[in-house]
Every structure is written in structure tokens, then in C-alpha cells.
Amino acid sequence: MGRGWGLLVGLLGALWLLRSGHGEERRPETAAQRCFCQVSGYLDDCTCDVETIDKFNNYKLFPRLQRLLESDYFRYYKVNLKKPCPFWNDISQCGRRDCAVKPCHSDEVPDGIKSASYKYSEEANLIEECEQAERLGAVDESLSEETQKAVLQWTKHDDSSDSFCEVDDIQSPDAEYVDLLLNPERYTGYKGPDAWRIWSVIYEENCFKPQTIQRPLNPLASGQGKSKENTFYSWLEGLCVEKRAFYRLISGLHASINVHLSARYLLQDTWLEKKWGHNVTEFQQRFDGVLTEGEGPRRLKNLYFLYLIELRALSKVLPFFERPDFQLFTGDKVQDAENKALLLEILHEIKSFPLHFDENSFFAGDKNEAHKLKEDFRQHFRNISRIMDCVGCFKCRLWGKLQTQGLGTALKILFSEKLIANMPESGPSYEFQLTRQEIVSLFNAFGRISTSVRELENFRHLLQNVH
């Protein structure tokens, strides 16, 4: 009997050891766990659950948003890819064919878009022409022609004073329409010191970071280590919420671009065909918690933070698009009406998102300090938009300029809440305006972030059995 009890106790003990993990070797951690385990749950500066974002984006929003971005109004973007870099002259142009951008022929772009780059409808065009004539007539004709031009330039500057981006002059002979569907963002082979120089200047000189604090895993800096990472993040967490948010937005944009490059990677290039697809190894190198010394999951969290910021901006700007006289004008009345209906459907869906980011804590301190901080915020971001003209790969430059302008437009919206609330229900809005360029970049930039969130789900599945 005693022997039987001893055997039973031994079996129970072995079972306990197995359950507690001491009786066998633990299964090795998967790559999916290393990349995503720290990205689940709630975000640091937000009260939004990542699982809620994934479900909302991937199953409610993404399909309709993609359909909207395939329409004529949103697929054509006018950009000047020939602007010189304002910061240095030794730009190494990417000679790879995948870096090239194919501009549109004039007859490929709908006439309504070409004739109304900054306007929304034929009626708006007429109103704009009349208003311009009034402004010209208001300028004292006794002034010299040079002074008259200066006065009009001041007016133009006042109109753009709320912009967060250094925008292209789309009237320039060098500005061309590009079909975004025919020039997709994907891996081009543009990398190395030239590419890292762009991001290094952005992070080191425009993210409110002292030169003495080195960014973790910066390949252009020597002596990186765990202590440097801890120093960097202890410094970052000590910043005010606005400056911390600025860094997280830039990091999130960087992460989103890296997701796109990993998801549309050139896997095979033969004379018969090119094969693009998911490169799991490339994704791991950028986001695996072990390979990046803990940095990768932080980047993915910042991507979600960026998603929430742009989502919030779209929810705020709904009244601007709801006005009866607003059109997504291409000249095709049936298509224009359908596109506006789809746009409003998407914006109302976004409005219903249950856990929107609360931006009320931004710039909420002393008025003078808040105003200076807001202006610093704006100038730093405008500087980053100018850096995009230094990118050596033209396709990377195209998408960098578009996504930067899109994020800048989202920030403009968030800081214009009162102006949007006071807009007239009909007629032109003088206090708050969005150009067609801003509208196209706003939705395409959010489309890129939405695609990143969707691709994270794909990579999560692909990495489940990778160790």
C-alpha cells in the first residue's frame, strides 16, 4: 500500500513539473513572439487597444479605403521630383530601374483634375477666379509691378502659414502628374549610407534630440550598446508629451515605410518575370526584438501611434467634406458623386471608432510657451518635408514626399479644430482650406499606414513557425 502511494505521489510530482515547465525544455520563442509580444495590449501614450485597431482597420476600413484610392481623383498626384536638395549637393542618384518613376502623359489625366488642381468643382473654379480678380484689383496700381507681385506673394504666404510642409509649386514646369497605382511603393534596392544619411539627419537634427544623446541602433554612430539604448529612452521619456509625440510620429512613419518594403520585396528577378512578395528575413532584421536589441517592437508601437493620429485627423475633418458644394472633381459627374458618397461612408466609419486618440493634452500649458512649442513643432516638420528632396531614389522620394505631406495635412487638421467647427455650411471656406494636393496626400498617406497595419497581420502569421 505504501509503495502504491509513493508511486502516485511521484506521478503527481512529475505532472506538476511538466505543467510548471521544469520537467522539459521550454519551446523556443517564435519570431512572431519576438516581434509582436510587446505590441499587444495598450499603447504607451494612448488608451487604445492594438487588437481593436487591427479588427477595425483590417475588416471594416481597409477594403473600402483601397477602393477609394483606386479612383481617378486619388490616384493622380502632382509632384516635382527635380527640386534640388537644399542641404547638400553630393546626392548619389539611384541607378536601379526600380528607383525610376514613370510620369503620366498629359492625355492620361482627367481634364477636371488638370484644370482644377487646387479646386473642387466648376463652380469653385469660377468663385476662385472672381476672388483672384478682386485681390488683384485691390492692389494699388500706382505701385511698381515688382511691389505688386510682392504684395500678392505676401497674401500667398499668409494663406499657407498654417502648413506643416514645404509643398511643391505644382505650376512649375518641372512638376508632373504621377499615377500612384502604376508607381507603387515597394523595395527598390535603395539602401546603405545614402539612405541612412536621410534618416540620420531627420532624427539627429529635427527630433528635438541633443547631439550628446545617440539614437539606438544608428549604423552611422559608433559604440552602440545597451547602455546607449537605455540612455536614449530615459531621455525620451523625460520630454514633454508634444516632443515625445513628434519623435514617435517620425519613428512610426519610418516603421511603416519599412513594412511596405518588406511586404513588397523583389523575391525573384529573371528575364521572364519579376516576383514581388513578403520577405520574412527583411522584416525580422527591422523588427525582431532580439535582432534589433529590443528596438523593433518599439518601432511597431510607434506605427500604431501614427495610425491613431491620422485616424483622429480624418474624424475631425468630416465637416469639411460634408458640405454640399464640395466635390471630388474630375469632370465625370457620376464618378464624382460615387466617390464622395464612398468618402463620406469611410469618414463616418472612422468617426464611429470607439477609442480615438485624445489630443487635448497637446500644447495645453502656458499660452506663450505653447505657441512657441507649436511653432517649433511646425518648423521641424517643414524641415523634414524639405529633406525629402535629398532622397536619391526617385520612387522613394515620391512616396516620402507624399506621406510627409499627408502627415503634415493631418497635423494641420488637428490644430485647426475651431476653424473647422466655424466653417459655413455652404460656399467657400476662407478660414480653413485643403488643396487637392493635401486631400490626395492625406488619404494616400493614411492608406499606406492602413496597409502597414494589414501587413503586420500577414507577417504575424508568416512568423508563427519561424524560430
Side-chain angles (χ1 to χ4, degrees):
M1 186 72 177
R3 185 177 177 183
W5 277 108
L7 179 61
L8 179 60
V9 170
L11 288 172
L12 290 173
L15 179 62
W16 179 84
L17 286 172
L18 287 171
R19 286 190 174 183
S20 63
H22 297 293
E24 65 175 3
E25 290 186 10
R26 293 186 179 183
R27 295 183 62 186
E29 191 176 41
T30 66
Q33 291 171 322
R34 293 196 300 272
C35 290
F36 296 105
C37 66
Q38 297 178 42
V39 189
S40 60
Y42 287 85
L43 302 179
D44 296 339
D45 288 339
C46 310
T47 57
C48 190
D49 196 330
V50 167
E51 284 81 3
T52 302
I53 298 176
D54 288 342
K55 185 177 180 180
F56 174 79
N57 178 76
N58 299 344
Y59 303 106
K60 285 190 174 184
L61 202 58
F62 182 81
R64 283 178 287 184
L65 182 61
Q66 294 307 302
R67 196 163 80 247
L68 181 73
L69 297 180
E70 291 171 359
S71 68
D72 283 352
Y73 186 90
F74 288 98
R75 68 185 293 178
Y76 296 107
Y77 180 65
K78 198 169 190 182
V79 62
N80 182 357
L81 297 176
K82 299 177 183 177
K83 287 176 67 176
C85 171
F87 301 107
W88 57 85
N89 297 320
D90 55 328
I91 299 179
S92 298
Q93 299 291 351
C94 176
R96 299 172 63 94
R97 56 182 174 174
D98 294 321
C99 284
V101 170
K102 181 183 178 182
C104 298
H105 294 295
S106 179
D107 58 355
E108 294 176 328
V109 183
D111 291 336
I113 291 177
K114 288 187 293 186
S115 63
S117 297
Y118 280 105
K119 296 114 185 166
Y120 317 117
S121 66
E122 290 175 309
E123 293 81 0
N125 288 346
L126 293 173
I127 292 171
E128 179 78 11
E129 289 171 4
C130 293
E131 290 172 352
Q132 186 176 15
E134 288 180 6
R135 287 197 296 269
L136 287 169
V139 177
D140 188 347
E141 294 182 355
S142 65
L143 298 175
S144 67
E145 183 178 348
E146 182 179 350
T147 305
Q148 290 182 44
K149 288 181 180 179
V151 171
L152 293 176
Q153 190 64 37
W154 295 338
T155 304
K156 185 184 293 186
H157 172 75
D158 290 340
D159 291 340
S160 64
S161 61
D162 60 349
S163 173
F164 280 77
C165 287
E166 190 81 24
V167 297
D168 288 347
D169 177 10
I170 64 170
Q171 305 304 328
S172 166
D174 290 331
E176 297 178 292
Y177 282 101
V178 173
D179 186 338
L180 298 174
L181 299 183
L182 298 182
N183 295 274
E185 183 184 26
R186 58 191 180 191
Y187 181 80
T188 65
Y190 177 64
K191 57 184 178 180
D194 291 328
W196 271 104
R197 183 183 190 181
I198 299 294
W199 287 110
S200 181
V201 171
I202 289 174
Y203 283 114
E204 299 298 319
E205 299 180 16
N206 293 280
C207 282
F208 301 98
K209 187 185 78 61
Q211 293 293 329
T212 54
I213 303 293
Q214 290 189 344
R215 184 166 54 97
L217 295 178
N218 181 356
L220 300 186
S222 60
Q224 295 294 312
K226 196 71 175 178
S227 61
K228 294 287 177 62
E229 179 184 339
N230 292 337
T231 301
F232 178 82
Y233 284 106
S234 62
W235 162 81
L236 183 64
E237 294 306 315
L239 286 178
C240 64
V241 64
E242 294 87 356
K243 292 182 179 180
R244 189 166 67 241
F246 190 96
Y247 171 83
R248 297 191 67 187
L249 289 175
I250 301 305
S251 173
L253 179 60
H254 193 183
S256 179
I257 291 172
N258 283 334
V259 171
H260 305 154
L261 305 187
S262 302
R264 301 196 69 169
Y265 198 91
L266 183 58
L267 301 176
Q268 180 179 327
D269 186 7
T270 67
W271 66 277
L272 286 174
E273 66 170 345
K274 281 188 173 186
K275 182 179 179 182
W276 303 86
H278 295 83
N279 187 324
V280 172
T281 302
E282 187 75 19
F283 183 87
Q284 282 184 265
Q285 289 176 350
R286 299 173 188 270
F287 300 108
D288 189 298
V290 172
L291 298 179
T292 62
E293 301 178 16
E295 174 71 10
R298 291 179 185 268
R299 296 169 182 166
L300 294 180
K301 278 192 173 184
N302 292 337
L303 188 157
Y304 279 102
F305 181 77
L306 172 63
Y307 181 92
L308 288 176
I309 290 290
E310 295 201 4
L311 191 76
R312 181 62 165 169
L314 289 171
S315 73
K316 293 280 189 181
V317 81
L318 174 60
F320 177 81
F321 293 106
E322 279 186 316
R323 292 175 302 140
D325 56 346
F326 178 87
Q327 296 183 39
L328 297 174
F329 185 66
T330 66
D332 184 333
K333 292 186 177 180
V334 174
Q335 185 185 97
D336 293 345
E338 291 176 352
N339 287 339
K340 181 174 180 180
L342 178 58
L343 174 72
L344 293 180
E345 180 185 323
I346 290 170
L347 291 178
H348 279 286
E349 186 70 66
I350 290 173
K351 191 79 172 178
S352 71
F353 182 68
L355 296 169
H356 269 295
F357 177 81
D358 183 7
E359 75 284 359
N360 289 327
S361 61
F362 284 2
F363 309 106
D366 177 81
K367 286 187 177 181
N368 291 331
E369 292 182 4
H371 177 76
K372 183 181 182 305
L373 183 57
K374 185 184 294 186
E375 191 56 32
D376 287 345
F377 201 98
R378 189 198 311 276
Q379 292 304 323
H380 278 243
F381 199 85
R382 286 178 71 92
N383 214 36
I384 290 173
S385 72
R386 298 176 70 203
I387 293 172
M388 291 299 120
D389 287 314
C390 301
V391 177
C393 166
F394 285 115
K395 186 169 288 182
C396 305
R397 184 183 298 193
L398 164 67
W399 285 101
K401 286 166 75 77
L402 182 143
Q403 291 178 81
T404 303
Q405 185 178 21
L407 177 53
T409 304
L411 295 173
K412 171 182 172 178
I413 292 167
L414 289 176
F415 294 134
S416 303
E417 183 175 9
K418 291 182 180 178
L419 299 180
I420 296 172
N422 294 328
M423 284 189 310
E425 293 184 3
S426 61
S429 170
Y430 296 103
E431 296 296 325
F432 178 81
Q433 284 282 2
L434 290 178
T435 67
R436 180 183 175 275
Q437 288 288 103
E438 288 176 315
I439 295 169
V440 172
S441 64
L442 174 68
F443 282 90
N444 272 283
F446 181 69
R448 295 282 74 211
I449 306 300
S450 175
T451 300
S452 293
V453 172
R454 178 67 175 265
E455 290 294 356
L456 289 184
E457 183 177 55
N458 294 331
F459 276 112
R460 188 181 284 110
H461 291 308
L462 291 170
L463 290 166
Q464 281 181 344
N465 297 318
V466 177
H467 296 281

